[in-house]
Amino acid sequence: MHGFAVALQPEHLLLALIGCTVGTLVGALPGLGPVNGVALMIPLAFNFGLAPTAALILLVSVYYGCMYGGRISSIVLNIPGDEPAMMTTLDGYPMARAGRGGEALGLSAVASFVGATIATIGLTLFAPLLVTVAIRFGPAEYFALFMLAFATIGGVTSGSFTKSFIAACLGLLLGTVGIDPVSSVARYTFGWYELYDGIDYLVALIGLFAISECLLFLERDQHQRVAPMQLGSAVPGMRQSLSCASTIGRGSVIGFIAGVLPGAGASLGSFLSYVLEKRWWGSKGRFGSGDPRGVAAPESGNNAAAGGALIPMLSLGIPGSGTTAILLALLLSMNITPGPLLFEQQPEMVWGLVAALFIGNVMLLVLNIPLVGLFAKVLQAPSWFLMPMVVLVAFVGVYSLNNSPFDLYMMLAFGVLGYVLRKLEIPTVPVVLGLLLGGQMEFNLRRAMAITGGDWSILWSSGISIGIYLFAITLLVAGLIYAWLVKQRLE
């Protein structure tokens, strides 16, 4: 109830509404997705001097809004707004081609609402339970957790495990730049005092995602026009959701579990929800040719996974997805350390955020039903208008962080790095995870070594550590099997 008192403040309600609207628009743009949407809004949050609670409500609203919006381009254009929305194209676009686009959008909005709401309820119930376990963690146990996150790094993206591993190692290398946490010796700063505090997470994020995306846009055909499509009414889709209630329920549970697992995220939640639902119905379904259940299952799955990914981020400081890695960067930059003590030291922020998620879900449902046509028309805006706006927001926002031209140069350097990585089909999200988690991983390793005088056995001396290592190995093997199954499916 105290959380709702915080979330219902006029300022927080306005920020939630702005975040939901912007997130839906950004999510609808092909290729941007929640990672870019949240990364672009972080500089604005700092520029307007928002308090941590207000900034987190804004960005998480953008996060949820992007998960909603990703389905729009999937259904209307057969172009996923992001990776989790890929499965929605299989049945959503055939429905749109058959003149049932509005029905598909309405059904997906309801499925997204139910999935996100179930995930938020799960966050309310299970995050405090996870905290009671996390309080018993020492430096060795936290090091094991970071090993768990990196062991499952391949599940964050749809690329190969080898390339994801290379990207994670690059992020770890970048994370060593700055002052050594124990000896206070400057490392890899090349005499630049601006690097003594390390590489700024936010500058790297905006460069890797927003600037690299603009560079990629310069390569594409700027004169492509999208043929308009008659969407129709969304009301039939809302009625159709009643007949898909069991599908939405199963997809929500599967997606929530996938979201809680570090490194799994919404992509796995969407894929599993669709595949298992297709197996459930067998020959009785028309999956792949416009079956409404093929829209309801992945949409409920990916939105439930989005909420589930917040649990390890808030409770353990381990991001469950690429977007929660960016939210982790925001909290760290505000001197707030996610973990078991967060619920005790910042209860108004945690429960205010949870209450804002419930409110934001209702806002998104109300926005997405009557404004379906408006959001879809944004997809037809020319890129020569959209991309300069992205660059403008990036430059102004990054400069406002520290009023430093050096940050602008760093942002451009990371933009070029992100462009090269994406041309080589090396995912950028593991780079972010390595940069974010590398410092804390090294710090906990050094603390564990200091406690025992260099005895490595402390890393596996407790039952919690052994359990985490076994879980990491299980997820690693499961991820390799999953990648093999996907490869076989594509062949």
Side-chain angles (χ1 to χ4, degrees), residues 13-316:
L13 285 175
L14 178 60
L15 289 173
L17 179 60
I18 293 173
C20 291
T21 306
V22 172
T24 304
L25 292 172
V26 171
L29 297 174
L32 291 182
V35 173
N36 289 313
V38 174
L40 282 173
M41 293 300 290
I42 285 180
L44 296 181
F46 276 93
N47 194 33
F48 287 107
L50 296 179
T53 302
L56 200 57
I57 288 175
L58 172 64
L59 295 181
V60 174
S61 298
V62 173
Y63 179 25
Y64 268 34
C66 287
M67 299 306 295
Y68 270 72
R71 79 202 197 284
I72 297 178
S73 57
S74 299
I75 294 172
V76 178
L77 303 177
N78 200 30
I79 303 175
D82 53 11
E83 289 180 5
M86 177 181 64
M87 304 305 295
T88 308
T89 63
L90 299 180
D91 286 276
Y93 187 67
M95 289 183 68
R97 297 304 301 173
R100 302 165 61 195
E103 178 183 344
L105 290 169
L107 173 60
S108 64
V110 175
S112 299
F113 170 78
V114 175
T117 301
I118 290 178
T120 307
I121 294 173
L123 173 63
T124 306
L125 297 176
F126 296 115
L129 296 178
L130 192 57
V131 166
T132 60
V133 177
I135 291 177
R136 303 181 182 181
F137 281 32
E141 287 76 17
Y142 269 108
F143 177 78
L145 270 180
F146 289 119
M147 289 294 293
L148 169 63
F150 284 108
T152 57
I153 201 79
V156 175
T157 64
S158 59
S160 70
F161 176 81
T162 302
K163 291 183 177 180
S164 298
F165 180 75
I166 293 173
C169 290
L170 177 60
L172 286 172
L173 289 174
L174 294 173
T176 61
V177 175
I179 299 295
D180 186 287
V182 177
S183 64
S184 299
V185 174
R187 305 183 300 191
Y188 313 118
T189 59
F190 304 101
W192 291 333
Y193 294 106
E194 293 87 350
L195 290 177
Y196 272 36
D197 289 332
I199 297 175
D200 193 304
Y201 307 132
L202 307 180
V203 173
L205 286 170
I206 296 172
L208 282 172
F209 294 107
I211 300 302
S212 66
E213 188 67 36
C214 294
L215 294 176
L216 289 173
F217 256 87
L218 294 177
E219 291 187 341
R220 301 170 187 166
D221 184 4
Q222 304 300 312
H223 303 288
Q224 287 183 341
R225 299 293 298 174
V226 179
M229 179 182 295
Q230 298 298 324
L231 296 177
S233 173
V235 175
M238 298 182 67
R239 295 173 180 168
Q240 184 73 48
S241 63
L242 295 176
S243 62
C244 297
S246 60
T247 296
I248 295 174
R250 285 188 291 269
S252 300
V253 173
I254 294 170
F256 176 74
I257 295 174
V260 173
L261 300 178
S267 298
L268 181 60
S270 174
F271 178 84
L272 289 178
S273 299
Y274 183 89
V275 171
L276 293 178
E277 192 65 24
K278 183 178 180 180
R279 296 291 176 85
W280 178 276
W281 289 100
S283 59
K284 297 180 181 179
R286 296 181 295 105
F287 289 86
S289 58
D291 193 316
R293 291 166 296 200
V295 175
E299 282 302 307
S300 58
N302 66 34
N303 282 271
L310 293 173
I311 291 182
M313 192 272 286
L314 293 173
S315 303
L316 303 175

Side-chain angles (χ1 to χ4, degrees), residues 235-424:
V235 175
M238 298 182 67
R239 295 173 180 168
Q240 184 73 48
S241 63
L242 295 176
S243 62
C244 297
S246 60
T247 296
I248 295 174
R250 285 188 291 269
S252 300
V253 173
I254 294 170
F256 176 74
I257 295 174
V260 173
L261 300 178
S267 298
L268 181 60
S270 174
F271 178 84
L272 289 178
S273 299
Y274 183 89
V275 171
L276 293 178
E277 192 65 24
K278 183 178 180 180
R279 296 291 176 85
W280 178 276
W281 289 100
S283 59
K284 297 180 181 179
R286 296 181 295 105
F287 289 86
S289 58
D291 193 316
R293 291 166 296 200
V295 175
E299 282 302 307
S300 58
N302 66 34
N303 282 271
L310 293 173
I311 291 182
M313 192 272 286
L314 293 173
S315 303
L316 303 175
I318 302 294
S321 65
T323 311
T324 51
I326 299 178
L327 296 175
L328 176 62
L330 170 72
L331 293 176
L332 293 176
S333 64
M334 291 183 168
N335 296 320
I336 297 174
T337 304
L341 295 181
L342 181 66
F343 287 75
E344 178 181 341
Q345 297 174 349
Q346 302 278 349
E348 71 285 344
M349 184 185 73
V350 175
W351 298 116
L353 171 64
V354 173
L357 292 178
F358 283 109
I359 297 172
N361 282 333
V362 177
M363 289 182 176
L364 283 166
L365 183 64
V366 173
L367 281 172
N368 276 264
I369 297 302
L371 299 180
V372 160
L374 176 62
F375 287 141
K377 285 188 178 297
V378 175
L379 302 177
Q380 301 180 21
S383 58
W384 58 260
F385 174 77
L386 293 175
M387 286 302 106
M389 295 301 296
V390 171
V391 174
L392 177 63
V393 171
F395 270 80
V396 173
V398 166
Y399 185 78
S400 66
L401 292 176
N402 301 305
N403 296 325
S404 171
F406 183 82
D407 287 345
L408 297 179
Y409 299 139
M410 288 294 295
M411 179 187 69
L412 291 175
F414 273 98
V416 174
L417 174 63
Y419 170 78
V420 173
L421 292 177
R422 295 171 74 169
K423 293 295 291 183
L424 296 174

